[in-house]
C-alpha cells in the first residue's frame, strides 16, 4: 500500500494520563488540578477506565464530562478488574465494543483507545477501528512486568496499522514512561513525536494535544498488524 507523507512539520510532544481510579476522590482531585494547571502548556489527555459493576456510574460520568472539557478524552479498558488490567478470560474485543457503545449512548465520544496493561490484539484493534478511534496502546519500550510471550505492540513512531480486512488504524505509540522521561531530561529526543510530557518537555518540543496530533498526522509508514507485534 502506498505510504502517505507526514503533514506535520517539526517536532512535537503530547501528554496523556491513564485515569485508572477516577472514583477515588483524592486521585481525582489531584488529576483535575493537574489538567487545570496545564504544566508546560500541555492539555493532558484523560484515558479513562469506565466504571466497573457496582461503581458509581453517575459520578463517573460527571467526572468524565469534566475531563473532556479540558483536554482530549480516551477509553482505557481494564478487562479483568479495576486493579487487574490485562484480560484473563473471554474475548477482549467484546468488552471494548460494549464500553465504546455505552460511551456513545451517554454522549461521550472518545477519540483514542489505550488497552490496560498495554494489551492489544487483532480483535481489539478491529473494534477500535470500528469505533473510529486512534490507538495509543503501543509503546517504544517493553514494560518489565510483561511475560516474554505476552501480547504487546512495540513501536517507536506513529504508523498506520493495516488490519486483516485491509482497513488502517492510526497508531500513536507512547514513547516514554515518566521514569524514562526523568532519566532522559538532558538527552536528545530523536523521534518526531514524543508522547508523554510535562513541563521541561515544552522547552524541547512544540506543545500539541492528542486530538490535534490525530487530525494532522499522516504517518509515512504502513505495516501489517500481524508483523508489528513484539
Amino acid at each position: 500500500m502506498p505510504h502517505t507523507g507526514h503533514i506535520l512539520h517539526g517536532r512535537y510532544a503530547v501528554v496523556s494520563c491513564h485515569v485508572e481510579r477516577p472514583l477515588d476522590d483524592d486521585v481525582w482531585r489531584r488529576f483535575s488540578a493537574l489538567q487545570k494547571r496545564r504544566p508546560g502548556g500541555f492539555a493532558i489527555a484523560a484515558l479513562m477506565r469506565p466504571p466497573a459493576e457496582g461503581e458509581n456510574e453517575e459520578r463517573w460520568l460527571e467526572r468524565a464530562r469534566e475531563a473532556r472539557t479540558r483536554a482530549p478524552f480516551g477509553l482505557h479498558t481494564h478487562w479483568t478488574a479495576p486493579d487487574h488490567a490485562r484480560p484473563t478470560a473471554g474475548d477482549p474485543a467484546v468488552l471494548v465494543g460494549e464500553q465504546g457503545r455505552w460511551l456513545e449512548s451517554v454522549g461521550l465520544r472518545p477519540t483514542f483507545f489505550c488497552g490496560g496493561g498495554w494489551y492489544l490484539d487483532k480483535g481489539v484493534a478491529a473494534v477500535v477501528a470500528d469505533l473510529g478511534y486512534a490507538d495509543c496502546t503501543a509503546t517504544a519500550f517493553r514494560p518489565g512486568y510483561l511475560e516474554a510471550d505476552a501480547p504487546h505492540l512495540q513501536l517507536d513512531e506513529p504508523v498506520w496499522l493495516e488490519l486483516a480486512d485491509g482497513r488502517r488504524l492510526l497508531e500513536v505509540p507512547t514513547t516514554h514512561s515518566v521514569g524514562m522521561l526523568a532519566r532522559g531530561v538532558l538527552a536528545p529526543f530523536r523521534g518526531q513525536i514524543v508522547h508523554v510530557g510535562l513541563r521541561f518537555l515544552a522547552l524541547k518540543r512544540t506543545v500539541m494535544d492528542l486530538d490535534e496530533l490525530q487530525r494532522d498526522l499522516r504517518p509515512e509508514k504502513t505495516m501489517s498488524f500481524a508483523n508489528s507485534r513484539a
Side-chain angles (χ1 to χ4, degrees):
M1 180 178 291
H3 299 321
T4 303
H6 286 290
I7 290 177
L8 290 174
H9 300 285
R11 299 163 76 79
Y12 299 89
V14 293
V15 186
S16 64
C17 180
H18 296 179
V19 188
E20 300 184 345
R21 296 167 59 191
L23 296 176
D24 181 309
D25 291 341
D26 186 54
V27 168
W28 186 254
R29 178 180 57 80
R30 291 170 182 269
F31 174 67
S32 293
L34 185 66
Q35 270 198 319
K36 291 174 183 175
R37 191 166 73 247
R38 294 173 65 103
F42 288 101
I44 300 175
L47 306 178
M48 291 186 65
R49 176 186 65 79
E53 185 176 355
E55 291 188 314
N56 189 322
E57 183 177 302
E58 183 177 350
R59 182 174 300 167
W60 188 94
L61 287 170
E62 177 184 337
R63 292 177 174 182
R65 289 173 176 138
E66 176 187 330
R68 186 67 183 89
T69 66
R70 294 193 287 252
F73 175 74
L75 168 60
H76 180 57
T77 296
H78 275 206
W79 281 277
T80 301
D83 59 352
H84 193 306
R86 290 176 72 88
T88 53
D91 184 346
V94 170
L95 181 58
V96 176
E98 290 174 349
Q99 290 181 341
R101 290 187 292 274
W102 174 71
L103 288 168
E104 291 272 3
S105 75
V106 295
L108 282 168
R109 190 186 185 284
T111 48
F112 282 85
F113 173 79
C114 186
W118 310 110
Y119 180 89
L120 187 73
D121 63 24
K122 63 183 180 180
V124 172
V127 170
V128 172
D130 289 342
L131 291 167
Y133 308 160
D135 185 70
C136 53
T137 306
T139 62
F141 52 92
R142 186 172 182 88
Y145 62 82
L146 291 183
E147 307 235 347
D149 59 350
H152 174 247
L153 187 61
Q154 190 163 338
L155 298 167
D156 59 9
E157 63 179 345
V159 300
W160 291 111
L161 290 178
E162 188 173 73
L163 306 182
D165 60 7
R167 289 182 299 161
R168 297 193 304 175
L169 174 64
L170 179 62
E171 180 65 48
V172 183
T174 298
T175 62
H176 294 69
S177 67
V178 172
M180 289 170 64
L181 194 69
R183 290 190 294 273
V185 62
L186 299 179
F189 296 124
R190 293 183 173 81
Q192 184 193 25
I193 308 296
V194 172
H195 177 183
V196 69
L198 301 189
R199 182 168 297 143
F200 77 87
L201 190 57
L203 301 176
K204 294 191 172 190
R205 295 286 170 132
T206 299
V207 173
M208 184 174 275
D209 71 36
L210 276 171
D211 280 346
E212 291 177 300
L213 184 68
Q214 179 183 187
R215 283 193 295 268
D216 295 337
L217 181 62
R218 297 294 181 272
E220 295 176 346
K221 294 183 179 180
T222 298
M223 62 175 62
S224 165
F225 181 84
N227 294 333
S228 61
R229 293 175 63 188

